[in-house]
């Protein structure tokens, strides 16, 4: 066997050689931490199905955002959890100036200024009493254009509160163009849109629905995409880009790397991927049983998402991963 001319293993001989040959590195500035703020609590509340993640108070989310800034994380994406009493059929607490998410955005912006990118999830499911991402007709069908009008109100309120980026995640047709026009009308021409472009109707969102106390019964298959479809993800991203999206997202991430690679290959704007609550919870549950090595799989999962083409990664591991990535990529 000594006369084998081609030996790819040479590049793996030692750590120094592997470091030199590594094609992908995940940098802290690429990471975005999703974070929850809840109305009416006076201390952070751990989320059972997402160990290590809590629902925050206004004070504690401001401290968390400051920590993201000082650790050099790229962004923080805020989700609001209103009081049950504040939910209604159209989700009006989403655009109320004193709604929990808008108050948190203002508070966080006051805390961090421009030192980290402040993002807002722009969707109604946390705010509607039925838990759908939009408004319904009498037969329970989601109305596209009526829903988009409410997203526009929500995005305008988020920009007014100080969000640098709004993230429409409801998968209604035409939502990006309508939000762009609404923001521009208010003079928020610098507020960027990160479109959740290819968002699949996924079982991996399970723990998130606990995290935000979502009241949904049924599913989101008439607006989120069928996991069977790959081309459709590219089509959705292209439409959002044509409508003015500043960045596009694929979600979930780890089980949709093919879609992510396709979108990354064709997108002229930055591409984000969201390692969602169920991807997070599954790794932790297995690590807690001793079945997986937590540090290795955290680093490997994030590296794989970057390798597939993500410029930015939303992950609940963002802060925890920093020392792990430093060790693995030293
Ligand atoms: C919708 C939204 C969801 C997530 C982010 N934005 C839930 C859904 O579509 O059901 C899921 C995030 C996660 O699972 O971590 N507002």
């Amino acid at each position: 066997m000594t006369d084998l001319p081609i030996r790819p293993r040479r590049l793996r001989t030692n750590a120094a050689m592997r470091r030199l040959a590594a094609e992908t590195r995940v940098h802290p500035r690429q990471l975005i931490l999703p974070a929850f703020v809840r109305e009416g609590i006076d201390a952070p509340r751990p989320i059972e199905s997402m160990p290590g993640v809590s629902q925050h108070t206004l004070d504690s989310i401001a401290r968390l955002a400051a920590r993201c800034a000082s650790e050099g994380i790229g962004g923080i994406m805020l989700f609001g959890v209103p009081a049950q009493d504040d939910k209604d059929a159209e989700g009006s607490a989403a655009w109320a100036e004193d709604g929990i998410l808008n108050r948190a955005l203002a508070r966080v912006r006051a805390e961090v200024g421009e030192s980290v990118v402040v993002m807002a999830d722009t969707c109604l499911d946390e705010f509607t009493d039925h838990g759908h991402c939009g408004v319904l007709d009498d037969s329970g069908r989601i109305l596209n254009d009526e829903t988009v009008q409410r997203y526009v109100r929500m995005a305008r309120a988020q920009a007014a509160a100080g969000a640098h980026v709004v993230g429409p995640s409801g998968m209604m047709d035409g939502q990006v163009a309508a939000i762009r026009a609404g923001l521009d009308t208010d003079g928020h021409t610098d507020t960027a849109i990160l479109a959740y472009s290819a968002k699949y109707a996924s079982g991996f969102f399970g723990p998130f629905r606990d995290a935000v106390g979502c009241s949904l019964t049924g599913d989101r298959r008439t607006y989120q995409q069928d996991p069977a479809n790959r081309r459709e993800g590219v089509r959705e991203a292209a439409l959002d880009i044509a409508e003015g999206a500043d960045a596009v997202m694929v979600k979930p991430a780890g089980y949709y790397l093919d879609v992510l690679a396709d979108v990354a290959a064709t997108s002229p704007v930055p591409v984000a991927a969201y390692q969602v609550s169920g991807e997070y919870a599954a790794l932790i549950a297995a690590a807690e049983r001793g079945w997986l090595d937590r540090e290795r799989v955290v680093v490997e999962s994030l590296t794989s998402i970057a390798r597939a083409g993500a410029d930015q990664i939303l992950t609940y591991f963002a802060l925890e991963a920093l020392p792990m990535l430093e060790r693995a990529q030293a």
Side-chain angles (χ1 to χ4, degrees), residues 118-159:
V118 177
M119 308 183 168
D121 184 66
T122 309
C123 192
L124 294 174
D125 58 316
E126 294 94 300
F127 299 94
T128 53
D129 51 16
H130 45 73
H132 272 293
C133 296
V135 291
L136 312 176
D137 70 8
D138 293 340
S139 63
R141 277 208 309 253
I142 285 89
L143 296 164
N144 192 86
D145 298 8
E146 289 76 358
T147 297
V148 169
Q149 287 167 15
R150 282 147 182 101
Y151 291 168
V152 173
R153 280 190 223 167
M154 186 177 187
R156 292 165 83 160
Q158 293 174 331

Side-chain angles (χ1 to χ4, degrees), residues 34 36 50 79 121-126 133 169-170 196 199-200 202 204-209 212 214 216 220 223-224 251 274-278 316:
F36 304 98
M50 301 179 71
F79 293 86
D121 184 66
T122 309
C123 192
L124 294 174
D125 58 316
E126 294 94 300
C133 296
S169 66
Y196 288 59
K199 180 173 180 186
Y200 287 85
S202 174
F204 288 94
F205 301 153
F208 175 92
R209 300 204 180 142
V212 298
C214 180
L216 183 71
R220 308 200 193 286
Y223 41 108
Q224 298 180 349
K251 175 183 179 184
Y274 196 143
Q275 183 180 51
V276 300
S277 57
Y316 301 97

